[in-house]
Amino acid sequence: MRITITGATGLIGAGLRRHLMASGHELRCLSRKPLAQTGWFAWDTLAGGPPRESLEGSEAVIHLAGEPIAQRWSLEVKRRIRSSRAEGTAALVKSLAALPRRPSVLVSASAIGYYGDRADESLTEQALPGSDFLSEVCVEWERAAELARESGIRVVCVRIGMVLHPRGGALGQMLPIVRAGLGGPMAGGQAWLSWVHREDLMRLFTWALETSTVQGPVNAVAPGAVRNGEFMRTLGTTLHRPAFLPVPAFALRLLYGEMAGVILRSQHVIPEVAEQAGFQFSWPQLAPALQNLLG
Ligand SMILES: NC(=O)c1ccc[n+]([C@@H]2O[C@H](COP(=O)([O-])OP(=O)(O)OC[C@H]3O[C@@H](n4cnc5c(N)ncnc54)[C@H](OP(=O)(O)O)[C@@H]3O)[C@@H](O)[C@H]2O)c1
């Protein structure tokens, strides 16, 4: 299949490129700083739609591009987080609608940030969105992607949880702290943390591309969500390090400002759509997943 990927240089995009190429797919990759190689194109989501030649003839589009979330949120950063997703996705969908031959499917990233902070509630794809900044961004992002349906394109919005990857993302940032013996339950350790092994996320994206009956939101999280305290304990055990030092909420707020809310919120997310459609997670439980990635 010929597939266009936006955000192709990111943590998820780089992994997907390898995964899809190994399965024999032909890729077109978009980035603000494209590699000087055939098949790479420049696109800044803040500056209109992608170049037409990056989309023409593609049978599928995977849309990942967006300003990184894990940074201190100044007003300008928040503006870029929102508009790189909402306006960027709207510009992409407009460009797809203008093609004489459109792709059959758009698999667009979203995030479990959609649900906001939800204590012990079990969150399937049917749950209502939260009302914080990231929830609003996710709602606008998905709404913009869903408009591609009007052009006859199947749309899947993948609500991604915390991706477990040893060299990046949230886990990559925690590793040096836990290895130094300074990790521990955050803000009391009771918040639910919904995670996904990077390999299962790659498989979920491929499954969403290839399964013509799947559309709408899909939670990309393992069935085995855990509370923060258990996550830190399991990580400590995997690394043979103590992980008992409590990290208070105020320390995280001092360090990350408003973005600390992303770490402190509680989200018990259930992958209902994927499981009911028969998707089998290779890494449904945390301890074996961490052992596989870090052991
Ligand atoms: N990783 C996670 O745990 C996680 C969880 C939930 C949701 N997600 C979402 O999934 C998507 C991919 O995640 P990731 O972890 O791979 O993100 P990432 O590592 O931060 O990469 C972001 C990608 O977006 C591109 N990008 C950023 N701003 C852009 C702009 N203005 N125009 C065009 N491209 C832009 C970057 O490419 P260049 O810098 O090369 O242009 C990069 O390829 C993101 O939208 C993210 O919010 C990720």
Side-chain angles (χ1 to χ4, degrees):
M1 204 191 296
R2 188 183 283 180
I3 304 169
T4 300
I5 307 187
T6 80
T9 56
L11 183 76
I12 297 172
L16 261 178
R17 263 162 43 211
R18 279 191 293 276
H19 185 80
L20 293 169
M21 282 196 299
S23 311
H25 295 292
E26 183 193 330
L27 304 185
R28 277 121 160 233
C29 301
L30 284 87
S31 154
R32 288 166 300 178
K33 290 159 268 159
L35 301 187
Q37 285 178 10
T38 319
W40 281 79
F41 300 86
W43 182 40
D44 186 335
T45 64
L46 299 168
R52 196 182 165 100
E53 59 275 25
S54 68
L55 303 173
E56 260 171 351
S58 279
E59 293 149 271
V61 175
I62 297 179
H63 177 42
L64 305 167
E67 173 75 18
I69 305 288
Q71 55 178 316
R72 273 187 89 92
W73 294 351
S74 63
L75 280 180
E76 173 54 20
V77 166
K78 283 172 86 170
R79 189 194 66 78
R80 288 204 306 268
I81 288 175
R82 186 188 288 265
S83 56
S84 64
R85 290 179 171 76
E87 288 158 33
T89 306
L92 169 66
V93 166
K94 200 167 155 204
S95 301
L96 293 176
L99 292 172
R101 226 189 93 229
R102 296 167 190 151
S104 57
V105 58
L106 167 65
V107 180
S108 187
S110 177
I112 59 170
Y114 179 91
Y115 302 110
D117 185 8
R118 303 292 278 264
D120 287 345
E121 217 177 310
S122 292
L123 302 164
T124 70
E125 288 84 353
Q126 302 298 318
L128 292 174
S131 55
D132 61 17
F133 168 68
L134 269 194
S135 309
E136 284 173 12
V137 170
C138 291
V139 168
E140 288 178 30
W141 194 9
E142 291 189 11
R143 195 179 292 147
E146 287 286 350
L147 279 181
R149 292 172 69 166
E150 291 178 7
S151 305
I153 299 170
R154 177 169 65 89
V155 178
V156 183
C157 291
V158 184
R159 294 183 182 153
I160 305 168
M162 175 183 151
V163 181
L164 297 188
H165 191 299
R167 285 177 303 281
L171 179 62
Q173 290 190 21
M174 284 178 203
L175 285 179
I177 301 168
V178 177
R179 284 197 172 113
L182 298 172
M186 296 175 195
Q190 288 304 300
W192 283 97
L193 206 156
S194 296
W195 54 273
V196 60
H197 187 299
R198 64 171 174 181
E199 189 184 299
D200 275 335
L201 182 65
M202 306 295 108
R203 292 179 51 245
L204 258 168
F205 267 94
T206 320
W207 171 80
L209 281 180
E210 292 172 352
T211 313
S212 61
T213 48
V214 174
Q215 59 177 339
V218 172
N219 288 337
V221 294
V226 293
R227 293 186 192 269
N228 178 290
E230 186 182 339
F231 187 93
M232 297 310 291
R233 249 193 328 276
T234 311
L235 183 54
T237 307
T238 310
L239 296 174
H240 307 293
R241 303 296 296 153
F244 306 119
L245 269 186
V247 182
F250 81 86
L252 291 167
R253 289 211 174 85
L254 263 180
L255 203 59
Y256 297 112
E258 188 184 352
M259 203 282 286
V262 174
I263 305 163
L264 296 170
R265 69 194 174 187
S266 182
Q267 298 183 311
H268 187 188
V269 181
I270 314 286
E272 187 173 83
V273 168
E275 287 201 303
Q276 283 190 352
F279 180 84
Q280 301 275 337
F281 285 86
S282 301
W283 304 102
Q285 300 302 325
L286 183 63
L290 286 176
Q291 191 59 42
N292 171 262
L293 290 164
L294 308 171

